[in-house]
Amino acid sequence: MTPPWLAAPLERLDAIYDRLPHGLLIQGPGGWGEETVAATLVTRLLRLDPAQNPREVAHPDLRWVEPEAGTIKVDQMRATIEFLHQTPRFAGRKAAVIVAADCMNQNAANALLKSLEEPPDNSFAVLVTGAPERLLPTVCSRCQRLEVHPASDDVVMAWLAEAGVDRERAQHLAIEYGSAPFTVRDAVERGEEPLMSALVEAPQHPDRALEVAERHREASLADLTARWLRIVHWAMRHRLENPGHLLDFADELQRLRAMAVANTGLNRVMQLHRLFLLWAELWRHEGFPPRS
């Protein structure tokens, strides 16, 4: 089921396929199917089975590179470049898909740049990013860009409904994940419940805040606070006339997220318990979250 907003980039891919550059940069807001476009390309390049997900295929002419602990390091990139310089085994071509390419550190980006400047024959580096502004300008300049543009909320909700996602659940998760439909769909497939459910529950039963925090103990604190921040920002845009206390809470979320990114050893349950108690206090002051 190809989403309607991917029709244009896929048509563009068809148009440039016969003169495909060594470096292709697929960029979008993130979570809008940028990886799907990359998968479509490598499936065609390497003559893979279209029914299979190429990132799950063990193919000697394909590498799928992703960040490790949030970073693509120089050793990963050097191994990828070495792979691209090897002789193709089956398809006459080699392809490397670099997911979240903006997560390359400086050394990794410089290593890739050298390969883009002197590309090996019959090899293709496909960069995927939701934050092209974080890439080295020189890397971007060596790649041909293919852009994925977001669609309207109605189009997204219709696509999610066709995928079998409950509308209310989709609406809540869309707030938490910045309206990115592929991210919402993946969250549903993982069985993830909207964070909003916990945010409604904890203030109504403050003595159960620890229990709610405990249920989220395995979640990434950085990701969870990012979702919470989007809910808070949504509320400030759409629901509250006087967001004073909510602004203070948003600052607290941002501080904790920065700490979580820098220090994975934080006591997540203790930090979440504290946040849910603060949230309960905010509820009493602001009557938040408002009913939709």
Side-chain angles (χ1 to χ4, degrees):
M1 180 177 59
T2 301
W5 61 86
L6 291 186
L10 291 175
E11 287 174 5
R12 174 65 179 155
L13 197 58
D14 283 340
I16 67 173
Y17 184 79
D18 290 335
R19 57 184 189 281
L20 198 66
H22 171 73
L24 183 67
L25 175 60
I26 301 173
Q27 66 180 66
W32 283 85
E34 296 88 350
E35 286 186 49
T36 296
V37 177
T40 301
L41 173 58
V42 297
T43 295
R44 184 174 177 182
L45 276 173
L46 303 181
R47 303 185 185 97
L48 304 177
D49 181 352
Q52 292 183 297
N53 184 344
R55 70 184 302 167
E56 298 173 355
V57 173
H59 193 287
D61 295 326
L62 173 64
R63 290 291 184 276
W64 205 275
V65 183
E66 297 184 275
E68 295 178 359
T71 304
I72 297 175
K73 301 182 174 115
V74 66
D75 288 344
Q76 287 176 273
M77 195 51 55
R78 285 173 179 160
T80 301
I81 294 166
E82 181 181 353
F83 157 78
L84 288 172
H85 278 80
Q86 295 168 359
T87 302
R89 295 277 299 277
F90 294 116
R93 304 180 177 105
K94 298 184 80 70
V97 178
I98 305 169
V99 177
D102 51 279
C103 291
M104 287 186 292
N105 64 24
Q106 184 77 26
N107 290 335
N110 286 332
L112 175 62
L113 180 60
K114 291 179 182 177
S115 178
L116 293 172
E117 290 171 340
E118 300 177 4
D121 294 335
N122 299 315
S123 69
F124 300 91
V126 184
L127 284 65
V128 180
T129 181
E133 70 281 356
R134 293 175 54 189
L135 283 166
L136 281 181
T138 45
V139 168
C140 293
S141 68
R142 297 298 190 278
C143 297
Q144 186 165 337
R145 297 196 189 208
L146 190 64
E147 296 187 16
V148 174
H149 297 286
S152 69
D153 290 345
D154 288 343
V155 169
V156 168
M157 288 301 157
W159 181 74
L160 288 170
E162 192 174 347
V165 181
D166 173 76
R167 184 174 181 82
E168 182 177 359
R169 191 178 183 192
Q171 287 174 330
H172 285 162
L173 287 171
I175 293 170
E176 296 174 27
Y177 285 112
S179 299
F182 276 75
T183 309
V184 170
R185 186 200 62 183
D186 292 346
V188 170
E189 289 179 353
R190 291 193 302 269
E192 197 169 280
E193 290 299 322
L195 180 59
M196 180 68 82
S197 302
L199 299 188
V200 170
E201 179 183 0
Q204 291 174 338
H205 307 280
D207 57 323
R208 290 168 58 189
L210 182 58
E211 178 187 334
V212 174
E214 183 70 27
R215 290 208 305 267
H216 291 83
R217 68 176 303 147
E218 298 303 323
S220 160
L221 192 56
D223 291 345
L224 198 67
T225 48
R227 291 167 60 190
W228 205 332
L229 268 168
R230 292 189 189 103
I231 293 173
V232 170
H233 291 159
W234 169 82
M236 288 191 287
R237 287 196 308 271
H238 294 97
R239 296 291 177 175
L240 295 182
E241 296 180 0
N242 181 13
H245 291 95
L246 205 53
L247 283 169
D248 293 338
F249 188 80
D251 288 341
E252 183 65 26
L253 283 172
Q254 288 172 331
R255 282 194 294 271
L256 181 54
R257 185 170 188 275
M259 291 169 59
V261 169
N263 176 17
T264 56
L266 282 174
N267 185 319
R268 286 178 292 184
V269 173
M270 183 179 73
Q271 294 293 341
L272 286 173
H273 186 204
R274 182 176 64 85
L275 280 178
F276 277 117
L277 289 175
L278 289 173
W279 184 257
E281 184 66 21
L282 179 65
W283 174 293
R284 287 192 287 274
H285 278 290
E286 304 287 354
F288 185 82
R291 300 296 188 269
S292 55

